[in-house]
Amino acid sequence: MYSSCSLLQRLVWFPFLALVATQLLFIRNVSSLNLTNEYLHHKCLVSEGKYKPGSKYEYILNDYIRFLAAGNFRSGSMHMTSGLKPNAVTILYQCRGDSYNSKCRSCYAAGISGLRRRCPRNKGGMIWFDQCFVEITSISVIDFNISKINYENNFPLHNPNRVSGDIKSFNNETMALLKELALKANNKDNMDNGKMALYASGEKRVGTKKVYAMVQCMRDLVKPKMCKECLESIIKEFPECCDGKQGGRILGTSCDFRYELYPFLRTSDSKTV
């Protein structure tokens, strides 16, 4: 027979363990929905040099950072440039299609903070998070060759775990989903805030699994007719980056794609393909 003290301890522990279990379940759910804004990658553009404290470049840079931060981030994409050499300053950002408005604002702030920390006083740098891409450069957008897709800074990421079952079928079906989303992203009826969305998401049953995916192009720097070409090119890299992987993506400065075996987008706009 338990003593009253022992019984009391057990009665206290049961609610505590239930609470812990509930918290762990909540944490797993938050993780599966990718509600965090994880840092992915960055590149300091060292060839553009550094700016000096108190310089005109720093003044313009800080002024533009504040100006963009005051925006509404509704479009999820923006660039701003002084266009004046030798103090040309350009800032641009592209948020993930499900992370506009306040989510985009917070990711932009994280990008600026991350570049200041990882590329201190560099005139140029780029950084990727789960929910956005941010770039600062001393090259004016006027001088960007927007008639050419930039593949130079593309990089792959993938889940180290492999899927079970028919790998070949999984690869083919996942690539087919990505290709269908690429077509949807470039559909003239796919509009957002008066501009072509150049973004699409969806899901597809592949055997016993469900694959969730998205594709996107940089709306302010990639012409709509070039988005399809960019997406087709990186989807062709799927066998090299993502063969049989439970999740993977290719990120770049012109376009990107991602797929997972769990729902990672914030909105419910994904359609079953």
Side-chain angles (χ1 to χ4, degrees):
M1 186 173 181
Y2 294 110
S3 67
S4 58
C5 180
S6 176
L7 181 59
L8 178 61
Q9 288 176 338
R10 289 174 62 83
L11 290 174
V12 171
W13 267 101
F14 283 140
F16 175 75
L17 291 174
L19 176 62
V20 170
T22 302
Q23 290 176 331
L24 289 175
L25 178 61
F26 174 76
I27 292 171
R28 284 198 296 271
N29 288 338
V30 168
S31 177
S32 69
L33 290 173
N34 198 21
L35 297 181
T36 59
N37 188 33
E38 182 183 1
Y39 159 80
L40 301 175
H41 182 64
H42 79 280
K43 181 178 181 180
C44 302
L45 304 177
V46 295
S47 61
E48 296 187 23
K50 291 180 175 286
Y51 60 88
K52 296 180 180 179
S55 65
K56 186 173 182 179
Y57 185 93
E58 182 178 50
Y59 174 82
I60 297 174
L61 174 63
N62 290 336
D63 191 44
Y64 280 16
I65 288 174
R66 288 191 295 269
F67 183 87
L68 287 176
N72 60 21
F73 291 85
R74 172 64 188 87
S75 69
S77 178
M78 186 64 69
H79 73 263
M80 188 173 186
T81 181
S82 68
L84 301 174
K85 295 181 179 180
N87 293 304
V89 178
T90 295
I91 303 177
L92 58 94
Y93 66 82
Q94 172 70 62
C95 290
R96 202 173 68 189
D98 67 323
S99 298
Y100 290 1
N101 299 312
S102 61
K103 302 178 186 68
C104 187
R105 182 193 306 277
S106 62
C107 193
Y108 164 79
I112 294 298
S113 175
L115 284 175
R116 288 188 183 279
R117 183 174 67 256
R118 298 172 186 274
C119 306
R121 299 204 177 279
N122 280 82
K123 287 188 174 182
M126 51 186 67
I127 192 165
W128 289 261
F129 287 83
D130 259 335
Q131 296 169 30
C132 71
F133 163 76
V134 179
E135 180 177 1
I136 295 175
T137 177
S138 59
I139 300 174
S140 168
V141 169
I142 298 173
D143 297 325
F144 281 6
N145 185 0
I146 60 173
S147 64
K148 182 179 179 181
I149 300 170
N150 182 358
Y151 298 112
E152 181 181 353
N153 298 301
N154 289 0
F155 72 99
L157 290 173
H158 62 75
N159 188 317
N161 298 317
R162 295 180 63 80
V163 297
S164 58
D166 189 340
I167 302 296
K168 183 177 180 180
S169 176
F170 176 84
N171 289 343
N172 290 339
E173 291 297 322
T174 302
M175 288 183 67
L177 171 60
L178 291 171
K179 289 176 182 178
E180 291 178 42
L181 293 177
L183 291 175
K184 179 181 175 182
N186 287 273
N187 190 309
K188 292 182 179 179
D189 295 329
N190 184 13
M191 303 291 290
D192 179 76
N193 199 36
K195 298 173 64 176
M196 284 187 66
L198 302 185
Y199 164 82
S201 65
E203 58 191 63
K204 183 177 186 178
R205 177 67 63 178
V206 179
T208 60
K209 307 172 183 64
K210 182 174 281 190
V211 178
Y212 302 84
M214 57 144 288
V215 300
Q216 186 169 26
C217 293
M218 174 73 78
R219 290 207 299 178
D220 273 23
L221 295 182
V222 176
K223 296 179 180 179
K225 65 180 181 181
M226 297 162 55
C227 181
K228 182 173 179 290
E229 176 188 345
C230 184
L231 290 172
E232 287 177 345
S233 178
I234 63 171
I235 291 172
K236 287 180 181 178
E237 298 179 30
F238 183 96
E240 296 181 10
C241 83
C242 311
D243 178 30
K245 302 298 184 181
Q246 291 185 11
R249 64 180 98 183
I250 291 182
L251 296 176
T253 57
S254 293
C255 65
D256 58 80
F257 75 73
R258 181 182 180 185
Y259 77 93
E260 303 287 353
L261 296 184
Y262 59 86
F264 61 92
L265 297 173
R266 290 175 178 266
T267 61
S268 58
D269 65 342
S270 296
K271 301 293 191 299
T272 300
V273 177

